[in-house]
Amino acid sequence: MDSLNVSPYGVQAIQVLTVLLGAPLVSGVIAQVEGRLQGRRGPRILQPYYDIAKYFSKETLVSNDSSWVFLVGPIVAFSCYLTVPLLIPVLTTFPLPLGFSGDILGGGFILALAGFSVALSGAESGAPYAQLGSSRAMTFGALIEPTILFVIFAVALITHTDLPYALSATIRSSTSQMVRPSHVFAAAAFFLVVLVDTGRIPVETHSGTLEFGMIDEARTLEHSGPALGLLKWGSTMKQLILYTILINVFLAPWGLASTGKWSSVLLAVTALLGKAMLLGMVFAFIDNLFSKLRLFKITEFIASAFLLAVLSVLVFYVGGG
Amino acid sequence: MAPSTYDGVAAVLALLVLLTEFAMLRAPLLRSQVRLYAFQSFVVTGLATYVAASKHIDELYALASLSLVLKVVIVPSLIVRLLRDADTDLAGSSVLGVASSILIALVVAAFGFFAVGSLHVSSSSLPTSSLAISCAIVLVAFVLIILRSDVVSQAIGFFSLENGVSVASLVVATRLPLIVDIAFLFDLLVAVVVFGVIMRVHHARNATLSTSDFDRLRG
């Protein structure tokens, strides 16, 4: 083996490190762009790192009413977010050794486990708002689930597998794959799913402090210290993971490393973070265009995402689209 | 196997027309429904132009430009002017909630998809799925007409039904003589006049645009 090459396991480790270390940066860029769009100067790009460092130097306060679940939840969630980058095409076009240990459903299960453990830990806090957040997060999570399933159906119909690497390779293979209606609509539906799952504006104000509109944000109200740091870091990682799936599997699977050379892997890391920041700017722009939906209007938003996903499957059956 | 790039783009355009139909079902304001209708007509025009350009059918250019003028500009601006004159309950009235009406329309659209898809009509100009999509557009337009109880939504439902028929005619009769197409557009114009008169008379008599007053058998 050439000394310039990284071993496949090494690349896999770099994938996890990219998500781990790059996620706060992407969040920082989005916050900065959002500030600019709103006519503010916005926080520093590196602010999320400082925040996380600050949380890790603080003490953890635990309510008398809560149990060990309250403390374990953030750790389980964080390790879930560390696992998912092993399964999805983050940096390479070729599948890595552990890439086949789980398909899209497997990745979805792990992300769901992370959401579940954070919600459980919020429910265990004994505080009303954290429990409200957990309950809402689980409700809307259940409502968006059929859409995710239909997107997975569409992917499975197009590629005859449910491996993210396979769809990524299919999209790269020709333009006709890129414009076929079932792919276009599945990608649009997944875009809306990302909007819901990252708690962006039509669904939730991610930086708001008003409890009545909170969904995901409210779950972590009772946490403090390193646990809160893990939760914040985890949510930036979840955002980058979803962006990565959207970019590298659906929208623009280009700029990935096709060999294990150091240079191409490093280029792929830069390309991924650049693409994620561009996508983040799109989301920040959407944030600026729309107002938050009322809580009971969110079902309408989810219904439209479901509509897109179902149409993508239907058109595949009727016209081979 | 993936369909060719041409087929893919055409089917995406046709699906966009269907999606606009769903958006009309969701739009609460009558004015936004009119805007959606203009957008839908624009997409249909775009589809016709795309077919004309790819298959070198010059007559379709004439049809596309005619329907651009008529359906994107004239008809919507006429309805908006009528709405401005009426100046009353601008928020539409759906019998059902948004999520449930979308689900119903989805079921109906799926029925249309598979009913037409099983006919295996093949066309040289557009992919087979477009015919199924146009049938779904027509059926969802019917759902819109049934679920909304105001004159404007029902008129818009009828006009957008015509858009669905236009897509269908692009699939099965691409090389239709221009005079027949113009006759269709003329029909649309007549419908606009008739609906305009109904809206005016209904509003003048009952001071509302809702059709729920139609069940009283008094002049």
Side-chain angles (χ1 to χ4, degrees):
Chain A
M1 186 177 277
D2 193 356
S3 63
L4 286 171
N5 274 342
V6 194
S7 76
Y9 286 102
V11 177
Q12 211 139 27
I14 295 176
Q15 289 202 355
V16 176
L17 282 177
T18 308
V19 173
L20 181 72
L21 300 177
L25 179 67
V26 174
S27 291
V29 170
I30 296 174
Q32 165 78 310
V33 170
E34 215 173 274
R36 298 267 166 179
L37 283 174
Q38 291 168 355
R40 301 182 280 120
R41 276 169 67 193
R44 278 176 297 181
I45 288 176
L46 297 180
Q47 190 62 42
Y49 293 103
Y50 293 117
D51 283 348
I52 291 167
K54 183 186 74 185
Y55 290 133
F56 275 99
S57 64
K58 298 256 178 182
E59 60 177 338
T60 301
L61 294 174
V62 183
S63 149
N64 286 332
D65 300 323
S66 54
S67 70
W68 55 274
V69 177
F70 178 75
L71 289 174
V72 169
I75 298 169
V76 173
F78 196 75
S79 40
C80 287
Y81 295 133
L82 286 175
T83 315
V84 179
L86 297 175
L87 306 176
I88 57 175
V90 179
L91 299 178
T92 58
T93 53
F94 55 92
L96 293 166
L98 294 174
F100 291 121
S101 51
D103 50 12
I104 290 193
L105 280 175
F109 281 147
I110 295 173
L111 284 177
L113 175 65
F116 172 74
S117 56
V118 176
L120 201 63
S121 138
E124 187 55 32
S125 65
Y129 282 122
Q131 289 178 342
L132 170 141
S134 300
S135 141
R136 281 182 181 173
M138 285 293 102
T139 310
F140 290 115
L143 286 176
I144 197 73
E145 207 64 25
T147 312
I148 299 175
L149 271 180
F150 267 89
V151 170
I152 294 175
F153 288 163
V155 171
L157 286 168
I158 293 172
T159 62
H160 304 293
T161 67
D162 51 359
L163 293 167
Y165 280 105
L167 184 64
S168 178
T170 313
I171 303 302
R172 266 193 310 274
S173 67
S174 76
T175 335
S176 62
Q177 294 284 359
M178 195 73 194
V179 297
R180 66 189 299 180
S182 41
H183 172 255
V184 170
F185 279 70
F190 194 74
F191 186 88
L192 297 185
V193 168
V194 172
L195 218 53
V196 173
D197 270 354
T198 53
R200 302 302 296 196
I201 202 74
V203 177
E204 186 186 5
T205 41
H206 62 285
S207 56
T209 47
L210 183 68
E211 290 89 349
F212 293 117
M214 279 185 176
I215 303 170
D216 285 352
E217 293 286 317
R219 297 176 303 178
T220 60
L221 280 176
E222 288 301 310
H223 287 88
S224 55
L228 183 60
L230 283 181
L231 286 171
K232 292 280 179 199
W233 200 349
S235 78
T236 62
M237 280 168 69
K238 178 188 178 187
Q239 173 173 287
L240 184 57
I241 288 169
L242 289 170
Y243 283 9
T244 306
I245 298 176
L246 183 62
I247 294 169
N248 281 353
V249 179
F250 287 96
L251 292 183
W254 295 284
L256 297 172
S258 53
T259 60
K261 283 205 180 101
W262 266 111
S263 53
S264 57
V265 170
L266 287 180
L267 195 67
V269 172
T270 329
L272 173 79
L273 292 180
K275 285 188 287 185
M277 285 170 198
L278 277 179
L279 185 67
M281 287 176 198
V282 173
F283 279 112
F285 192 61
I286 292 176
D287 252 23
N288 232 32
L289 279 184
F290 296 94
S291 52
K292 191 182 123 30
L293 288 169
R294 271 192 296 137
L295 201 64
F296 292 103
K297 290 267 177 190
I298 293 175
T299 47
E300 293 180 12
F301 183 78
I302 291 176
S304 48
F306 182 64
L307 174 73
L308 288 170
V310 172
L311 281 181
S312 104
V313 171
L314 284 184
V315 79
F316 186 92
Y317 273 116
V318 170
Chain B
M1 267 313 291
S4 68
T5 308
Y6 167 75
D7 281 2
V9 173
V12 167
L13 284 175
L15 271 176
L16 214 55
V17 179
L18 176 60
L19 215 58
T20 329
E21 195 66 56
F22 275 101
M24 284 182 201
L25 205 62
R26 179 188 178 279
L29 292 179
L30 296 181
R31 198 157 289 168
S32 55
Q33 265 187 341
V34 178
R35 238 177 259 141
L36 281 169
Y37 169 71
F39 175 74
Q40 188 186 46
S41 312
F42 184 71
V43 178
V44 173
T45 313
L47 182 62
T49 318
Y50 184 61
V51 175
S54 325
K55 301 282 169 183
H56 308 292
I57 307 170
D58 294 338
E59 287 167 1
L60 272 181
Y61 284 120
L63 175 68
S65 44
L66 258 180
S67 68
L68 183 72
V69 172
L70 190 65
K71 293 200 282 191
V72 182
V73 181
I74 296 182
V75 173
S77 56
L78 270 178
I79 304 175
V80 166
R81 176 177 294 178
L82 280 172
L83 273 178
R84 200 175 295 143
D85 291 349
D87 190 30
T88 168
D89 53 358
L90 282 169
S93 47
S94 185
V95 182
L96 291 172
V98 170
S100 36
S101 48
I102 282 186
L103 287 181
I104 289 177
L106 195 54
V107 171
V108 171
F111 171 76
F113 260 79
F114 288 109
V116 175
S118 61
L119 294 178
H120 299 295
V121 180
S122 62
S123 148
S124 59
S125 56
L126 277 174
T128 329
S129 53
S130 314
L131 189 63
I133 294 168
S134 68
C135 180
I137 296 167
V138 170
L139 290 176
V140 175
F142 277 130
V143 173
L144 175 70
I145 295 177
I146 293 168
L147 289 183
R148 287 299 187 92
S149 63
D150 61 279
V151 189
V152 182
S153 294
Q154 297 188 350
I156 291 288
F158 182 81
F159 300 150
S160 60
L161 193 149
E162 195 270 343
N163 272 340
V165 176
S166 301
V167 176
S169 80
L170 279 178
V171 181
V172 291
T174 321
R175 289 162 204 277
L176 204 64
L178 191 57
I179 188 75
V180 182
D181 278 330
I182 293 175
F184 276 141
L185 287 178
F186 187 71
D187 271 356
L188 179 72
L189 213 54
V190 172
V192 170
V193 171
V194 170
F195 272 109
V197 169
I198 290 182
M199 270 166 66
R200 288 228 161 194
V201 170
H202 184 52
H203 182 255
R205 284 197 183 162
N206 301 320
T208 173
L209 289 173
S210 169
T211 51
S212 54
D213 297 330
F214 274 162
D215 54 3
R216 276 182 248 140
L217 289 171
R218 281 186 277 124

